[in-house]
Amino acid sequence: MAEPEFSARGVRIARWPRSLTRAGEVRIEDGRLALLTSYGSEIDSAPVSAVRAGRPWFAKADETVATVNGTRYRLTLQDDDRARDGGSQVSGRFLAALKRAAGRP
């Protein structure tokens, strides 16, 4: 099994209007994006070429919105009690890894 291109744990995954998990995992591996619960169960997954993601103007620095299989998820990539700018770095790395895996410039 190959090393994932991106992996983040402790991610809050929400599908409007409710939270699905507060300690989930986001993983990009073998050309697929997978959203996992804290127990490792799959919430949703799709090929990275079919995933849309970005940071809307109203989102906090550590939040990203991803559309996977037509469902919008709000991903909070770092808790508030950690370093303030660390979340924006993680969400930026996530967006860059998604672009790189999809082969977008």
Side-chain angles (χ1 to χ4, degrees), residues 11-101:
V11 178
R12 183 174 188 259
I13 302 173
R15 180 174 52 208
W16 282 280
R18 71 184 191 105
S19 176
L20 299 175
T21 183
R22 291 177 51 196
E25 182 176 359
V26 175
R27 179 179 288 181
I28 300 173
E29 187 173 24
D30 298 329
R32 292 187 67 81
L33 170 73
L35 304 176
L36 307 170
T37 66
S38 56
Y39 297 109
S41 301
E42 187 175 285
I43 296 170
D44 207 346
S45 72
V48 292
S49 59
V51 175
R52 289 180 43 213
R55 191 179 302 136
W57 63 269
F58 56 83
K60 296 177 187 171
D62 60 352
E63 291 181 350
T64 302
V65 175
T67 303
V68 181
N69 293 327
T71 305
R72 286 178 39 173
Y73 296 96
R74 186 177 72 228
L75 309 173
T76 305
L77 294 161
Q78 189 161 15
D79 293 332
D80 290 338
D81 58 352
R82 296 183 191 164
R84 284 286 184 203
D85 60 342
S88 63
Q89 291 175 359
V90 175
S91 65
R93 284 192 306 118
F94 166 69
L95 293 172
L98 195 62
K99 281 184 177 181
R100 201 171 40 252

